[in-house]
Structure formats: C-alpha cells, structure tokens
Amino acid sequence: MMNDDLLTAGDVLTSTDKGIPERAIGMTIADFLATSPRLDEFWTPLVVLDDSAMHHNVATMAAWCADRGLELMPHGKTTMAPTLWQRQLDAGATGITLATMGQVRTARSLGVSSIMLANSAVDERALRYLAGELHDESFRFLCWADSLQTVDAMDRALRAAGAPRPVDVLVELGAEGARTGARTIEAATRVAERIAATSTLRLAGVAGYEGALAHDRSDNAQHVVREYLQSQVRLHESIRRLYGPGEIYITAGGSAYFDIVAEVYAEAGAGTDPSTHFTLRSGAYIVHDDGFYRQISPFDEARASADAPRLRTAMHGIARVVSQPEHGLALVDGGKRDFPYDEGLPIPRQTATELGEQWRALDGATVTALNDQHAFVRMQGDLAVGAVVALGLSHPCTAFDKWRVLPVVDSWDSGVVTDLVRTYF
C-alpha cells in the first residue's frame, strides 16, 4: 500500500514541467485534470501514455501470474511513478522491486511497504537507514547477496546500527560473463551458509536475472535461459536445509523471458506451498513498447502465439516538424533528451497536421539519427513544417527518466487527458 496524501494529485505544476499547457502552470494536477484537458493543448515534444492499454496490460499480467501460482513484484525502476506502482499493487502485486537504496528511500517516503531490492546493499550509510526502517514491523524488505564480502559488509553495518530484526537476503545466482551473481551453485551455497550463520540476516531464498544471458528469441537463447533457471531451482533445493522459519522467495523474470520462468517454476512446484513464493519481477509490461520488447516479449501482439495473452503498446512519443531542409528529410523537435534510444531509435508510425487532428499512417519512414533535441526522419515524400509525428519507442526503462510529468490519454485515438503521471528519478 501507499500513502494517498503522498501521491501526485496535489502536486503543483510549474514551468519546469516540460510539455504542459501554459494555463496549467500554478495549478495542482487534480485541479488541472478537473478542467477536462485535451492532448492538443500540450507542447511538443511529448511522451504520452495510453490509459486503456495500461489497464489491459496490468490486468493481463496479473491474471496470467495468478493462473500459474506466481507472485509479481514488478520492477518499479522502470517507471519510478507511484501512481503506476499503485495500479500494479491494486491488481495483486506482492510489492515493488527497486534497483538502488536511493530508490528504496524514495519508495518508502511514498508509503510503499513491500520492497525487493534486486541488488546488494553494502553502503554503510544506506544500511543505517535500512536499520531504522526495520523498526516498522509492517515493512517487508528483501535484498540480494552474491559473495561472502557482501554478507560480511551487511553484517558489520547492521550490527553497528543496531538493526531491530534480521534482513531477509536472497542468494543471487549468476552465470559466467553475465552481470552480478555467484558464478556457480557451489559458490552460491557458500554465500547461503554465511548468511545463515549471521544474526543480522535471514536466508530467505534464491534470486537472479535471466535477461542478462540472452537478447533474442532464438532457440539457443531460450535454451540458455532455461538452463540458468533450472540451475537456480537446483540451488534452492541444495540450500533448503539452511532455511529457518519464515517465508521463502525464488525470483527471476524480466520482461523478455517470463514465460520460460513460469514453465521452469511450474516444474519446481510454483503455487503448491503458500510459504514459498515463486516471484516474477517483470516491469516493462505495464506500457510494453514498440521496439525491443515488441521483438522479444512472449506476449507481443505482433508475434505472440495464437493462444497467448497480448500486451498492447501504451507508450508513444510525439514530436513536431521544425525543419524540412531537403527532400525526404524532416527534423522534428524531440531527441535524446526526450526519447529512449539505447535499445533502438524511435519509429515513425503516424503523422497529422496538428495535435487533435486525425492520424494517418507514415509508411516507410525511419529515424536515422538523434541529436540532443532533434530526430532525423527520412521518408519518400515530405512533411510540412508544423506537422506532428507519432513515434513508437523502445525500452520503457530509459523513456520515463526523461520526463517529470507524462500525460495519460484515455485511449490513443481520443486525445482526452485523464491523468498526469509524476516520476521520481
């Protein structure tokens, strides 16, 4: 749960909130929304969220996980938007996953009471803060450890801080050449033994991230992911003897291979023991995308199997043509400061003479380069200066961090603004 008074309706909009209409400056978000704003009031560039698509995606993932005995702690660092976290919690998510202790502090200030840190916590200052938060008995906190040094650093800092109860720690299993995580089951077992021997930590399960091992849907990539997840389950079985009283978590699952995670976890008994929580951490599903996840997600509407659920793209860029310097080239007013580009450049999808006018398909156009505040749109014909272009975006995790406020329309075709999402990066 989150504190209602710490959500964003009472926030005052200012001229530093890019894209908002001039008349909104000085109004609270709630007061501005009460005036029934429309998207055609907003300045370009923009990133716009589709409310109906987000509702569909949240409900789809929640139902799919429930059917498989899986819990969901979606990765909140994708959006760092408490109003979107609340949607996921309201749909049954067990808690929110975060990546840094700074994000944990932000979430706690917003009233989040169930957090997984998908990382190690070794900074003495952050651990002192955590020790203080643990006085709140309703606060559920999990973090990871992948080495004896990590365990020792946590133990020292928490003992010095007088932590009132042990911190739940999951052993992180990695793989050779991957990101973090103990490289072998044997090494991970030694970490588990060290955790179990401390008084400040409680061994609470096994964690890992399969998305670091593959980046496509080839047979080989899926085989590598499956083998890794099976190793994670073997680690869980090998350290079961070390678990003491309390809830146990086995967790994996980014937004690319969660179907394989579900299959392997089903074989391991997901949903059969209420004290053992097989937990996905997928985060990007709430808005999906038009690039990386469109190519790799098992639920993309363009590539999913006939009987699979479908996710809908709920994140769109909008930019305006500011220059047509030569035939077949338009420069629009959004660039690296506005749109993600690390997992693929924006994709021109539609154009209109103005916001609020009917969109038409922009076939064959491509973005060939981004500058800080410009995108180069190449096409067969021309676009008039002042026309707007709708862009498909790739990788939600590097889209939200560029915006403090994002308008939400009730559906992409309507243009009726139903909410403003505030981010906390």
Side-chain angles (χ1 to χ4, degrees), residues 179-200:
R179 200 166 64 185
T180 51
R183 285 341 198 200
T184 65
I185 290 178
E186 292 73 22
T189 300
R190 290 193 291 273
V191 175
E193 290 169 343
R194 184 68 64 89
I195 294 169
T198 72
S199 61
T200 58

Side-chain angles (χ1 to χ4, degrees), residues 354-378:
E354 182 53 90
L355 281 174
E357 301 296 325
Q358 185 172 0
W359 293 106
R360 60 179 177 83
L362 190 56
D363 296 329
T366 60
V367 170
T368 57
L370 288 183
N371 291 162
D372 285 352
Q373 303 293 174
H374 293 93
F376 291 68
V377 181
R378 294 280 182 180

Side-chain angles (χ1 to χ4, degrees), residues 162-187:
R165 56 187 169 100
V167 173
D168 287 348
V169 180
L170 313 183
V171 180
E172 182 187 3
L173 181 66
E176 195 67 36
R179 200 166 64 185
T180 51
R183 285 341 198 200
T184 65
I185 290 178
E186 292 73 22

Side-chain angles (χ1 to χ4, degrees), residues 171 173-175 183-186 188-189 192 205-207 223-243 250 264-265 267-269 278:
V171 180
L173 181 66
R183 285 341 198 200
T184 65
I185 290 178
E186 292 73 22
T189 300
V206 173
H223 175 72
V224 168
V225 167
R226 190 178 301 276
E227 280 201 329
Y228 164 74
L229 293 164
Q230 290 168 342
S231 295
Q232 193 189 53
V233 171
R234 288 198 298 274
L235 172 61
H236 163 62
E237 294 296 337
S238 74
I239 65 174
R240 187 187 291 271
R241 59 187 169 83
L242 299 171
Y243 295 145
I250 299 91
V264 173
Y265 283 3
E267 295 166 359
F278 288 85

Side-chain angles (χ1 to χ4, degrees), residues 335-413:
K336 293 179 180 179
R337 304 292 188 188
D338 312 296
F339 305 132
Y341 57 93
D342 59 312
E343 291 285 2
L345 296 175
I347 305 165
R349 295 295 191 192
Q350 297 172 305
T351 186
T353 56
E354 182 53 90
L355 281 174
E357 301 296 325
Q358 185 172 0
W359 293 106
R360 60 179 177 83
L362 190 56
D363 296 329
T366 60
V367 170
T368 57
L370 288 183
N371 291 162
D372 285 352
Q373 303 293 174
H374 293 93
F376 291 68
V377 181
R378 294 280 182 180
M379 72 210 86
Q380 292 298 315
D382 292 316
L383 290 173
V385 170
V388 288
V389 176
L391 300 162
L393 304 177
S394 179
H395 201 198
C397 296
T398 51
F400 281 81
D401 63 349
K402 303 177 189 308
W403 294 86
R404 288 175 53 188
V405 174
L406 299 93
V408 180
V409 293
D410 62 352
S411 69
W412 175 240
D413 294 326

Side-chain angles (χ1 to χ4, degrees), residues 216-219 222 255-259 288 291-311:
D216 58 46
R217 272 274 160 180
S218 66
D219 290 345
Q222 294 184 64
S255 295
Y257 304 107
F258 54 82
D259 56 328
H288 199 41
F292 178 72
Y293 290 113
R294 184 177 182 83
Q295 298 170 26
I296 202 168
S297 169
F299 289 0
D300 185 76
E301 58 189 349
R303 63 169 307 281
S305 61
D307 59 345
R310 301 289 196 276
L311 296 177

